[in-house]
C-alpha cells in the first residue's frame, strides 16, 4: 500500500500586494516538518510565513520565510521541524510582508509526514 510522504500547498500573492493565505485540509497523519519553496519574487521588505489550525492556534509561529528553507541535509533532516497530528482539521497557510511584492510571489508549502515503512512489513 502506498503512503504519501508529503503534501503540497500552493499560494500566489499578486504583485503589489503584501498578504496572501490559503485554507487547506491535509490528509490524516503526523506532520514532522515542512519546507517552503518560492519563485524568488522581489520584495524589499520583511516576509514572514505561518501555519495555524482551525482555532487560530499556531502550528508554526510567524517567522522569516527563510526559516522555512531546505537545509540541504537529508530529506527529513533538512526541513523545518514540526510535530502535529493533522486529524480532520482545517489549517491556514499565510504569508505576509511589510512591503508590497514587486511581481507575483509564488510559493509552495511542502508538509512532510512520518512514514515508517518498516511498520507495514
Amino acid at each position: 500500500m502506498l503512503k504519501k510522504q508529503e503534501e503540497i500547498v500552493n499560494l500566489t500573492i499578486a504583485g503589489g500586494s503584501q498578504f496572501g493565505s490559503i485554507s487547506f485540509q491535509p490528509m490524516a497523519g503526523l506532520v514532522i516538518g515542512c519546507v517552503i519553496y518560492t519563485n524568488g519574487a522581489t520584495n524589499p521588505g520583511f516576509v514572514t510565513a505561518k501555519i495555524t489550525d482551525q482555532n487560530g492556534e499556531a502550528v508554526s509561529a510567524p517567522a522569516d520565510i527563510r526559516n522555512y528553507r531546505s537545509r540541504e541535509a537529508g530529506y527529513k533532516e533538512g526541513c523545518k521541524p514540526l510535530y502535529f497530528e493533522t486529524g480532520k482539521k482545517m489549517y491556514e497557510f499565510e504569508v505576509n510582508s511589510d512591503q508590497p511584492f514587486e511581481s507575483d510571489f509564488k510559493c509552495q508549502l511542502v508538509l512532510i509526514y512520518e512514514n515508517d515503512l518498516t511498520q507495514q512489513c
Side-chain angles (χ1 to χ4, degrees):
M1 180 165 116
L2 180 65
K3 184 176 176 186
K4 286 174 38 177
Q5 288 190 316
E6 70 264 335
E7 185 157 4
I8 310 300
V9 179
N10 294 307
L11 176 65
T12 299
I13 301 174
S17 298
Q18 294 176 240
F19 167 83
S21 69
I22 186 167
S23 295
F24 65 98
Q25 185 175 22
M27 67 181 181
L30 175 64
V31 173
I32 59 169
C34 72
V35 292
I36 296 175
Y37 297 99
T38 73
N39 67 340
T42 305
N43 187 302
F46 189 69
V47 180
T48 61
K50 71 176 180 176
I51 305 167
T52 55
D53 68 13
Q54 63 192 19
N55 298 321
E57 293 184 35
V59 171
S60 183
D64 187 300
I65 199 162
R66 293 170 293 191
N67 185 45
Y68 292 87
R69 77 197 182 292
S70 171
R71 279 121 175 114
E72 303 301 326
Y75 186 67
K76 289 183 180 179
E77 295 80 14
C79 66
K80 176 181 173 63
L82 296 175
Y83 192 83
F84 68 97
E85 192 68 49
T86 61
K88 295 197 181 265
K89 293 181 182 177
M90 293 295 295
Y91 292 85
E92 187 89 8
F93 170 47
E94 184 178 304
V95 175
N96 288 288
S97 176
D98 59 358
Q99 298 290 318
F101 286 96
E102 295 175 1
S103 60
D104 287 358
F105 176 79
K106 297 181 181 191
C107 63
Q108 198 171 64
L109 169 67
V110 181
L111 298 175
I112 301 166
Y113 288 80
E114 178 59 45
N115 190 359
D116 186 356
L117 299 175
T118 62
Q119 299 298 317
Q120 298 177 10
C121 297

